[in-house]
Coordinates of all heavy atoms in Angstrom, one line a residue:
M1 N -6.3 11.7 19.1 CA -6.4 10.9 17.9 C -7.8 10.5 17.6 O -8.5 10.0 18.5 CB -5.5 9.7 17.9 CG -4.0 9.9 17.4 SD -3.2 8.3 17.2 CE -3.3 7.6 18.8
K2 N -8.2 10.7 16.3 CA -9.5 10.2 16.0 C -9.4 9.2 14.8 O -8.8 9.5 13.8 CB -10.4 11.4 15.4 CG -10.7 12.4 16.6 CD -11.5 13.5 16.0 CE -11.8 14.6 17.2 NZ -12.6 15.6 16.8
F3 N -9.9 8.1 15.1 CA -9.8 7.0 14.0 C -11.1 7.0 13.3 O -12.2 7.2 13.8 CB -9.6 5.7 14.8 CG -8.2 5.5 15.3 CD1 -8.0 5.8 16.7 CD2 -7.1 5.2 14.5 CE1 -6.8 5.5 17.2 CE2 -5.9 5.1 15.1 CZ -5.7 5.3 16.4
V4 N -11.0 6.6 12.0 CA -12.2 6.4 11.2 C -12.0 5.1 10.4 O -10.8 4.7 10.2 CB -12.5 7.6 10.2 CG1 -12.7 8.9 11.0 CG2 -11.2 7.8 9.3
S5 N -13.1 4.5 10.0 CA -13.0 3.5 8.9 C -13.7 3.9 7.7 O -14.7 4.7 7.8 CB -13.8 2.2 9.5 OG -13.1 1.7 10.6
F6 N -13.2 3.6 6.5 CA -13.8 3.9 5.3 C -13.5 3.0 4.2 O -12.7 2.0 4.3 CB -13.2 5.3 4.9 CG -11.7 5.3 4.6 CD1 -11.2 5.2 3.4 CD2 -10.9 5.5 5.7 CE1 -9.8 5.1 3.1 CE2 -9.4 5.5 5.4 CZ -8.9 5.2 4.2
L7 N -14.2 3.0 3.1 CA -14.0 2.3 1.9 C -13.2 3.2 1.0 O -13.6 4.3 0.7 CB -15.2 1.8 1.2 CG -16.1 0.8 1.9 CD1 -17.4 0.5 1.2 CD2 -15.3 -0.5 2.2
N8 N -12.1 2.7 0.5 CA -11.3 3.5 -0.5 C -11.9 3.3 -1.9 O -12.9 2.8 -2.1 CB -9.7 3.0 -0.4 CG -9.5 1.6 -0.8 OD1 -10.4 0.9 -1.5 ND2 -8.3 1.1 -0.7
T9 N -11.2 3.9 -2.8 CA -11.7 4.0 -4.2 C -11.8 2.5 -4.8 O -12.6 2.3 -5.8 CB -10.9 4.8 -5.1 OG1 -9.5 4.4 -5.1 CG2 -11.0 6.3 -4.7
D10 N -11.0 1.6 -4.3 CA -11.1 0.2 -4.8 C -12.2 -0.6 -3.9 O -12.2 -1.9 -4.0 CB -9.7 -0.5 -4.6 CG -8.7 0.1 -5.5 OD1 -9.1 0.6 -6.5 OD2 -7.5 0.2 -5.1
R11 N -12.9 0.1 -3.1 CA -14.0 -0.5 -2.3 C -13.4 -1.5 -1.2 O -14.0 -2.5 -0.8 CB -15.0 -1.2 -3.1 CG -15.7 -0.4 -4.3 CD -16.4 0.7 -3.8 NE -17.6 0.4 -3.1 CZ -18.3 1.3 -2.4 NH1 -17.9 2.6 -2.3 NH2 -19.3 1.0 -1.6
Q12 N -12.2 -1.2 -0.7 CA -11.6 -2.0 0.4 C -11.8 -1.2 1.7 O -11.5 0.0 1.8 CB -10.1 -2.1 0.1 CG -9.7 -2.9 -1.1 CD -8.3 -2.8 -1.4 OE1 -7.6 -1.7 -1.2 NE2 -7.7 -3.9 -2.0
E13 N -12.1 -2.0 2.7 CA -12.1 -1.4 4.1 C -10.8 -1.0 4.5 O -9.8 -1.7 4.4 CB -12.8 -2.4 5.0 CG -13.0 -1.9 6.4 CD -13.4 -2.9 7.4 OE1 -14.1 -3.9 6.9 OE2 -13.0 -2.9 8.6
R14 N -10.7 0.3 5.0 CA -9.4 0.9 5.5 C -9.6 1.6 6.8 O -10.7 2.0 7.2 CB -8.8 1.8 4.5 CG -8.7 1.3 3.0 CD -7.7 0.2 2.9 NE -6.3 0.8 3.2 CZ -5.3 0.1 3.2 NH1 -5.2 -1.2 3.0 NH2 -4.1 0.7 3.5
L15 N -8.5 1.6 7.6 CA -8.4 2.3 8.8 C -7.8 3.7 8.6 O -6.8 3.8 7.8 CB -7.5 1.6 9.8 CG -7.2 2.3 11.1 CD1 -8.4 2.6 11.9 CD2 -6.2 1.5 11.9
G16 N -8.4 4.7 9.0 CA -7.9 6.1 8.9 C -7.7 6.9 10.1 O -8.3 6.5 11.2
L17 N -7.0 7.9 10.0 CA -6.9 9.0 11.0 C -7.5 10.2 10.5 O -7.3 10.6 9.4 CB -5.5 9.3 11.5 CG -4.8 8.4 12.3 CD1 -3.2 8.6 12.4 CD2 -5.4 8.4 13.8
W18 N -8.3 10.9 11.3 CA -9.0 12.1 11.0 C -8.1 13.3 11.6 O -8.0 13.4 12.8 CB -10.3 12.1 11.6 CG -11.2 13.4 11.2 CD1 -11.6 14.4 11.9 CD2 -11.9 13.6 9.9 NE1 -12.3 15.3 11.3 CE2 -12.6 14.8 10.0 CE3 -11.9 12.9 8.7 CZ2 -13.3 15.3 9.0 CZ3 -12.6 13.4 7.7 CH2 -13.3 14.5 7.8
V19 N -7.4 14.0 10.6 CA -6.5 15.0 11.1 C -6.8 16.3 10.3 O -6.8 16.3 9.1 CB -5.0 14.6 10.8 CG1 -4.0 15.7 11.2 CG2 -4.7 13.2 11.5
H20 N -7.2 17.3 11.1 CA -7.5 18.7 10.5 C -8.5 18.5 9.4 O -8.5 19.2 8.4 CB -6.3 19.4 10.0 CG -5.1 19.6 10.9 ND1 -5.3 20.4 12.1 CD2 -3.8 19.2 10.9 CE1 -4.2 20.4 12.7 NE2 -3.3 19.6 12.1
G21 N -9.6 17.7 9.7 CA -10.6 17.5 8.8 C -10.4 16.8 7.6 O -11.2 16.7 6.6
K22 N -9.3 16.0 7.5 CA -8.8 15.2 6.4 C -8.7 13.8 6.8 O -8.2 13.5 8.0 CB -7.7 15.8 5.6 CG -7.9 17.2 5.2 CD -8.7 17.2 4.0 CE -8.9 18.7 3.4 NZ -9.7 18.8 2.3
T23 N -8.7 12.8 5.9 CA -8.5 11.5 6.1 C -7.1 11.1 5.8 O -6.6 11.3 4.7 CB -9.5 10.5 5.4 OG1 -10.8 10.9 5.8 CG2 -9.3 9.1 5.8
I24 N -6.4 10.3 6.7 CA -5.1 9.8 6.5 C -5.2 8.3 6.5 O -5.7 7.7 7.4 CB -4.0 10.2 7.6 CG1 -4.0 11.7 7.7 CG2 -2.7 9.5 7.4 CD1 -3.1 12.4 6.8
D25 N -4.8 7.6 5.5 CA -4.8 6.1 5.5 C -3.6 5.6 6.3 O -2.5 5.9 6.0 CB -4.6 5.6 4.0 CG -4.9 4.1 3.9 OD1 -4.0 3.4 4.7 OD2 -5.6 3.6 3.1
V26 N -4.0 5.1 7.5 CA -3.0 4.7 8.4 C -2.0 3.7 7.9 O -0.8 4.0 8.2 CB -3.8 4.0 9.8 CG1 -2.7 3.4 10.7 CG2 -4.5 5.1 10.4
Q27 N -2.3 2.6 7.2 CA -1.3 1.7 6.8 C -0.4 2.3 5.7 O 0.8 2.1 5.8 CB -2.1 0.5 6.1 CG -1.1 -0.7 5.8 CD -1.8 -1.9 5.2 OE1 -2.5 -1.7 4.2 NE2 -1.3 -3.0 5.6
L28 N -1.0 3.1 4.8 CA -0.1 3.7 3.8 C 0.9 4.8 4.4 O 2.0 4.8 4.1 CB -1.0 4.4 2.7 CG -1.8 3.4 1.9 CD1 -2.7 4.3 0.9 CD2 -1.0 2.5 1.2
A29 N 0.3 5.5 5.4 CA 1.1 6.4 6.1 C 2.3 5.8 6.9 O 3.4 6.2 7.0 CB 0.3 7.4 7.0
A30 N 1.9 4.7 7.6 CA 2.9 3.9 8.3 C 4.0 3.5 7.6 O 5.2 3.5 7.9 CB 2.2 2.8 9.1
R31 N 3.6 3.0 6.3 CA 4.7 2.6 5.4 C 5.7 3.6 5.1 O 6.9 3.3 4.9 CB 4.0 1.9 4.2 CG 3.4 0.6 4.3 CD 2.9 0.1 3.0 NE 2.1 -1.1 3.2 CZ 1.2 -1.5 2.4 NH1 1.0 -0.9 1.3 NH2 0.5 -2.7 2.6
R32 N 5.2 4.9 4.9 CA 6.1 5.9 4.6 C 7.0 6.2 5.7 O 8.2 6.8 5.5 CB 5.3 7.2 4.2 CG 4.5 6.9 3.0 CD 3.9 8.2 2.4 NE 5.0 9.1 2.0 CZ 4.8 10.4 1.8 NH1 3.5 10.9 2.0 NH2 5.8 11.1 1.5
L33 N 6.7 5.8 7.0 CA 7.5 5.9 8.1 C 8.2 4.7 8.6 O 8.8 4.6 9.6 CB 6.6 6.4 9.3 CG 5.9 7.7 9.2 CD1 4.9 8.0 10.3 CD2 6.9 8.9 9.0
S34 N 8.3 3.7 7.6 CA 8.9 2.4 7.8 C 8.3 1.7 9.1 O 9.0 1.0 9.8 CB 10.4 2.5 8.0 OG 10.9 3.1 6.9
L35 N 6.9 1.9 9.3 CA 6.3 1.2 10.4 C 5.2 0.2 9.6 O 4.8 0.4 8.5 CB 5.5 2.2 11.2 CG 6.3 3.2 11.9 CD1 5.4 4.2 12.5 CD2 7.2 2.6 13.0
D36 N 4.9 -0.8 10.5 CA 3.9 -1.8 9.9 C 2.6 -1.7 10.7 O 2.7 -1.9 12.0 CB 4.5 -3.2 10.0 CG 3.7 -4.3 9.5 OD1 3.0 -4.0 8.4 OD2 3.6 -5.3 10.0
L37 N 1.6 -1.3 10.1 CA 0.2 -1.3 10.8 C -0.8 -1.9 9.8 O -0.6 -1.9 8.6 CB -0.2 0.1 10.9 CG 0.4 0.9 12.2 CD1 0.1 2.3 12.2 CD2 -0.2 0.1 13.5
P38 N -1.8 -2.6 10.4 CA -2.8 -3.3 9.6 C -3.8 -2.3 8.9 O -3.9 -1.1 9.2 CB -3.5 -4.0 10.7 CG -3.5 -3.3 12.0 CD -2.1 -2.6 11.9
P39 N -4.5 -2.8 7.9 CA -5.3 -1.9 7.1 C -6.7 -1.7 7.7 O -7.3 -0.7 7.1 CB -5.5 -2.7 5.8 CG -5.4 -4.2 6.3 CD -4.3 -4.1 7.4
T40 N -7.2 -2.5 8.7 CA -8.6 -2.3 9.1 C -8.6 -2.1 10.7 O -7.7 -2.3 11.4 CB -9.4 -3.5 8.8 OG1 -8.9 -4.7 9.6 CG2 -9.4 -3.9 7.3
M41 N -9.8 -1.5 11.1 CA -9.9 -1.3 12.5 C -9.9 -2.5 13.3 O -9.2 -2.5 14.4 CB -11.2 -0.5 12.7 CG -11.6 -0.2 14.2 SD -10.4 1.0 15.0 CE -11.2 2.5 14.4
R42 N -10.5 -3.6 12.8 CA -10.5 -4.8 13.6 C -9.1 -5.3 13.9 O -8.8 -5.6 15.0 CB -11.4 -5.8 13.0 CG -11.6 -7.0 13.8 CD -12.6 -7.9 13.1 NE -12.7 -9.3 13.8 CZ -13.4 -10.2 13.4 NH1 -14.3 -10.1 12.4 NH2 -13.4 -11.3 14.1
S43 N -8.4 -5.4 12.8 CA -7.0 -5.9 13.0 C -6.1 -5.0 13.8 O -5.3 -5.4 14.5 CB -6.4 -6.2 11.6 OG -6.4 -5.1 10.7
F44 N -6.4 -3.6 13.7 CA -5.7 -2.7 14.5 C -6.0 -2.9 15.9 O -5.1 -2.9 16.8 CB -6.1 -1.2 14.1 CG -5.5 -0.2 15.0 CD1 -4.2 0.2 14.9 CD2 -6.3 0.4 15.9 CE1 -3.7 1.2 15.7 CE2 -5.9 1.4 16.8 CZ -4.5 1.7 16.7
L45 N -7.2 -3.1 16.3 CA -7.5 -3.4 17.7 C -6.9 -4.6 18.3 O -6.5 -4.7 19.5 CB -9.1 -3.4 17.9 CG -9.8 -2.1 17.6 CD1 -11.4 -2.3 17.6 CD2 -9.4 -1.0 18.6
E46 N -6.8 -5.6 17.4 CA -6.1 -6.9 17.8 C -4.7 -6.6 18.1 O -4.0 -7.4 18.9 CB -6.3 -7.9 16.7 CG -7.7 -8.4 16.6 CD -8.0 -9.2 15.4 OE1 -7.0 -9.4 14.6 OE2 -9.1 -9.7 15.3
G47 N -4.1 -5.6 17.5 CA -2.7 -5.2 17.9 C -2.4 -4.5 19.1 O -1.2 -4.4 19.5
E48 N -3.5 -4.1 19.8 CA -3.4 -3.5 21.2 C -2.4 -2.4 21.3 O -2.3 -1.5 20.4 CB -3.2 -4.6 22.2 CG -4.2 -5.6 22.2 CD -4.0 -6.9 23.3 OE1 -3.0 -6.9 23.8 OE2 -4.9 -7.5 23.5
S49 N -1.7 -2.3 22.4 CA -0.9 -1.1 22.6 C 0.3 -1.0 21.6 O 0.7 0.2 21.5 CB -0.3 -1.2 24.0 OG 0.5 -2.4 24.2
A50 N 0.9 -2.0 21.1 CA 1.8 -1.9 20.2 C 1.4 -1.1 18.9 O 2.0 -0.3 18.3 CB 2.4 -3.2 19.7
A51 N 0.2 -1.5 18.4 CA -0.4 -0.8 17.3 C -0.7 0.6 17.6 O -0.5 1.5 16.8 CB -1.6 -1.6 16.8
M52 N -1.2 0.9 18.8 CA -1.5 2.3 19.2 C -0.3 3.1 19.3 O -0.3 4.3 18.8 CB -2.2 2.3 20.6 CG -2.6 3.6 21.0 SD -3.9 4.4 19.9 CE -5.4 3.7 20.5
A53 N 0.8 2.6 19.7 CA 2.1 3.4 19.7 C 2.5 3.8 18.3 O 2.9 4.9 18.1 CB 3.2 2.6 20.5
K54 N 2.3 2.8 17.4 CA 2.8 3.2 16.0 C 1.8 4.1 15.4 O 2.2 5.1 14.6 CB 2.7 1.8 15.2 CG 3.9 0.9 15.5 CD 3.9 -0.4 14.8 CE 4.8 -1.4 15.2 NZ 4.7 -2.7 14.4
A55 N 0.4 4.0 15.7 CA -0.5 4.9 15.2 C -0.3 6.3 15.7 O -0.4 7.4 15.0 CB -1.9 4.5 15.6
Q56 N 0.2 6.4 17.0 CA 0.6 7.7 17.6 C 1.7 8.4 16.8 O 1.7 9.6 16.5 CB 1.0 7.6 19.1 CG 1.4 8.9 19.7 CD 0.1 9.8 19.8 OE1 -0.9 9.3 20.1 NE2 0.4 11.1 19.6
Q57 N 2.7 7.6 16.3 CA 3.8 8.1 15.5 C 3.3 8.6 14.1 O 3.7 9.7 13.7 CB 4.9 7.0 15.3 CG 5.7 6.7 16.4 CD 6.6 5.5 16.2 OE1 7.4 5.6 15.2 NE2 6.6 4.5 17.0
V58 N 2.3 7.9 13.6 CA 1.7 8.4 12.3 C 1.0 9.6 12.5 O 1.1 10.6 11.7 CB 0.7 7.3 11.7 CG1 0.0 7.8 10.5 CG2 1.5 6.0 11.3
H59 N 0.2 9.7 13.7 CA -0.6 11.0 13.9 C 0.4 12.1 14.1 O 0.2 13.2 13.6 CB -1.4 10.7 15.2 CG -2.3 11.8 15.6 ND1 -2.0 12.6 16.7 CD2 -3.4 12.3 15.0 CE1 -3.0 13.6 16.8 NE2 -3.8 13.3 15.8
E60 N 1.4 12.0 14.8 CA 2.4 13.1 15.1 C 3.0 13.5 13.8 O 3.2 14.7 13.5 CB 3.5 12.6 16.0 CG 3.0 12.5 17.5 CD 3.9 11.8 18.5 OE1 5.1 11.6 18.1 OE2 3.5 11.5 19.6
A61 N 3.4 12.6 12.8 CA 3.9 12.9 11.5 C 2.9 13.7 10.7 O 3.3 14.6 10.0 CB 4.4 11.7 10.8
A62 N 1.6 13.3 10.8 CA 0.6 14.0 10.1 C 0.4 15.5 10.6 O 0.3 16.4 9.9 CB -0.7 13.3 10.2
L63 N 0.4 15.6 12.0 CA 0.3 16.9 12.5 C 1.5 17.8 12.2 O 1.3 19.1 11.9 CB 0.2 16.8 14.1 CG -1.1 16.3 14.6 CD1 -1.0 16.1 16.1 CD2 -2.3 17.1 14.3
A64 N 2.7 17.2 11.9 CA 3.8 18.0 11.6 C 3.9 18.2 10.1 O 4.9 18.8 9.5 CB 5.1 17.2 11.9
G65 N 2.9 17.7 9.3 CA 2.9 17.9 7.8 C 3.8 17.0 7.1 O 4.0 17.2 5.8
K66 N 4.3 15.9 7.7 CA 5.1 14.9 7.0 C 4.4 14.0 6.2 O 4.8 13.2 5.4 CB 6.1 14.3 8.0 CG 7.0 15.2 8.7 CD 7.9 14.5 9.7 CE 8.7 15.4 10.5 NZ 9.5 14.7 11.5
I67 N 3.0 13.8 6.6 CA 2.2 12.8 6.0 C 1.0 13.6 5.3 O 0.4 14.4 6.1 CB 1.7 11.7 6.9 CG1 2.8 11.0 7.6 CG2 0.6 10.9 6.2 CD1 3.5 10.1 6.6
Q68 N 0.7 13.3 4.1 CA -0.4 14.1 3.4 C -1.7 13.4 3.5 O -1.6 12.0 3.4 CB -0.1 14.4 2.0 CG 1.2 15.3 1.9 CD 1.0 16.6 2.6 OE1 0.1 17.3 2.5 NE2 2.0 17.0 3.5
P69 N -2.8 14.0 3.6 CA -4.1 13.3 3.5 C -4.4 12.6 2.1 O -3.7 13.1 1.2 CB -5.2 14.3 3.9 CG -4.6 15.6 3.5 CD -3.1 15.4 3.7
L70 N -5.3 11.8 2.0 CA -5.7 11.3 0.8 C -6.2 12.2 -0.2 O -7.0 13.0 0.0 CB -6.7 10.1 0.9 CG -6.2 8.9 1.8 CD1 -7.4 8.0 2.1 CD2 -5.2 8.1 0.9
A71 N -5.6 12.3 -1.5 CA -6.0 13.3 -2.4 C -7.4 13.1 -3.0 O -8.1 14.1 -3.4 CB -4.9 13.2 -3.6
H72 N -7.9 11.9 -3.0 CA -9.2 11.6 -3.6 C -10.2 11.4 -2.6 O -11.1 10.6 -2.7 CB -9.1 10.3 -4.5 CG -8.5 9.1 -3.8 ND1 -7.1 8.9 -3.6 CD2 -9.0 8.1 -3.0 CE1 -6.9 7.9 -3.0 NE2 -8.0 7.3 -2.6
E73 N -10.1 12.2 -1.5 CA -11.0 12.0 -0.3 C -12.4 12.1 -0.6 O -13.3 11.3 0.0 CB -10.6 13.0 0.8 CG -11.3 12.8 2.0 CD -10.7 13.6 3.2 OE1 -9.8 14.2 3.1 OE2 -11.3 13.3 4.3
K74 N -12.8 12.8 -1.6 CA -14.2 13.0 -1.9 C -14.9 11.8 -2.4 O -16.1 11.5 -2.4 CB -14.6 14.1 -2.9 CG -13.9 13.9 -4.2 CD -14.2 15.1 -5.1 CE -13.5 15.0 -6.5 NZ -13.7 16.1 -7.3
F75 N -14.1 10.7 -2.8 CA -14.5 9.4 -3.3 C -14.5 8.4 -2.2 O -14.9 7.1 -2.5 CB -13.7 9.0 -4.5 CG -13.7 10.0 -5.7 CD1 -12.6 10.7 -6.0 CD2 -14.9 10.1 -6.4 CE1 -12.7 11.6 -7.1 CE2 -14.9 11.0 -7.5 CZ -13.8 11.8 -7.8
L76 N -14.2 8.6 -1.0 CA -14.2 7.7 0.1 C -15.6 7.6 0.6 O -16.4 8.5 0.6 CB -13.2 8.1 1.2 CG -11.8 8.4 0.8 CD1 -11.0 8.9 2.1 CD2 -11.2 7.2 0.3
S77 N -15.9 6.3 1.1 CA -17.1 6.0 1.7 C -16.9 5.7 3.2 O -16.3 4.8 3.5 CB -17.9 4.8 1.0 OG -18.0 5.0 -0.4
P78 N -17.5 6.6 4.1 CA -17.4 6.4 5.4 C -18.1 5.1 5.9 O -19.2 4.8 5.3 CB -17.9 7.6 6.1 CG -18.8 8.3 5.2 CD -18.3 7.8 3.8
L79 N -17.6 4.5 6.9 CA -18.1 3.3 7.5 C -18.3 3.5 9.0 O -17.8 4.4 9.6 CB -17.1 2.1 7.3 CG -16.9 1.7 5.9 CD1 -15.8 0.5 5.9 CD2 -18.2 1.1 5.2
A80 N -18.9 2.6 9.7 CA -19.0 2.6 11.1 C -17.6 2.5 11.7 O -16.7 1.9 11.0 CB -19.8 1.4 11.6
P81 N -17.4 3.0 12.9 CA -16.0 3.0 13.4 C -15.4 1.6 13.5 O -14.3 1.4 13.1 CB -16.2 3.6 14.8 CG -17.4 4.4 14.7 CD -18.3 3.8 13.7
V82 N -16.2 0.5 13.8 CA -15.7 -0.8 13.9 C -16.7 -1.5 13.0 O -17.7 -2.1 13.4 CB -15.6 -1.4 15.2 CG1 -15.1 -2.8 15.1 CG2 -14.7 -0.5 16.2
P83 N -16.4 -1.6 11.6 CA -17.4 -2.2 10.8 C -17.7 -3.7 11.0 O -18.9 -4.1 10.7 CB -16.8 -2.0 9.3 CG -15.8 -0.9 9.5 CD -15.3 -1.0 10.9
T84 N -16.8 -4.5 11.4 CA -17.1 -5.9 11.7 C -16.6 -6.2 13.1 O -15.5 -6.8 13.2 CB -16.3 -6.7 10.5 OG1 -14.9 -6.4 10.7 CG2 -16.8 -6.5 9.2
P85 N -17.4 -5.9 14.0 CA -17.0 -6.2 15.4 C -17.0 -7.7 15.8 O -17.7 -8.5 15.1 CB -18.1 -5.5 16.3 CG -19.3 -5.4 15.4 CD -18.7 -5.2 13.9
T86 N -16.2 -8.1 16.7 CA -16.1 -9.5 17.0 C -17.3 -10.0 17.7 O -17.7 -11.1 17.7 CB -14.8 -9.8 17.8 OG1 -14.9 -9.0 19.0 CG2 -13.6 -9.5 17.1
S87 N -18.0 -9.0 18.5 CA -19.3 -9.3 19.1 C -20.1 -8.1 19.1 O -19.7 -7.0 19.1 CB -19.0 -9.9 20.5 OG -18.4 -8.9 21.3
C88 N -21.3 -8.3 19.4 CA -22.3 -7.2 19.7 C -23.3 -7.6 20.6 O -24.0 -8.6 20.5 CB -22.9 -6.9 18.2 SG -24.0 -5.4 18.3
R89 N -23.5 -6.7 21.7 CA -24.3 -7.0 22.7 C -25.6 -6.1 22.8 O -25.4 -4.9 22.4 CB -23.5 -7.0 24.1 CG -22.5 -8.0 24.1 CD -22.0 -8.1 25.5 NE -21.0 -9.3 25.6 CZ -19.7 -9.1 25.7 NH1 -19.1 -8.0 26.0 NH2 -18.9 -10.2 25.8
D90 N -26.6 -6.6 23.3 CA -27.8 -5.6 23.4 C -27.6 -4.8 24.6 O -26.9 -5.3 25.7 CB -29.1 -6.5 23.7 CG -29.5 -7.3 22.4 OD1 -29.0 -6.9 21.3 OD2 -30.2 -8.3 22.6
A91 N -28.2 -3.7 24.6 CA -28.0 -2.8 25.8 C -29.1 -3.0 26.9 O -30.0 -3.7 26.6 CB -28.2 -1.4 25.3

């Protein structure tokens, strides 16, 4: 699984999955599967293994073609993988 963060067309930070070169909005896709996942990477990471298990279900559904990528993908703005980290340390 490859996770991405992006700004959607409403300029909201979103968590996505990169599947076959396309972006899947994780929260929107999870809702279609009757799952509850947060909208951002930071909140997803706070969900730990429970969130990861649900994301795996979304990923499998996307690979099976049950979830479609965002139609307006060319209007998305990529962000850093974790746009608002809880801490940042010097190397």
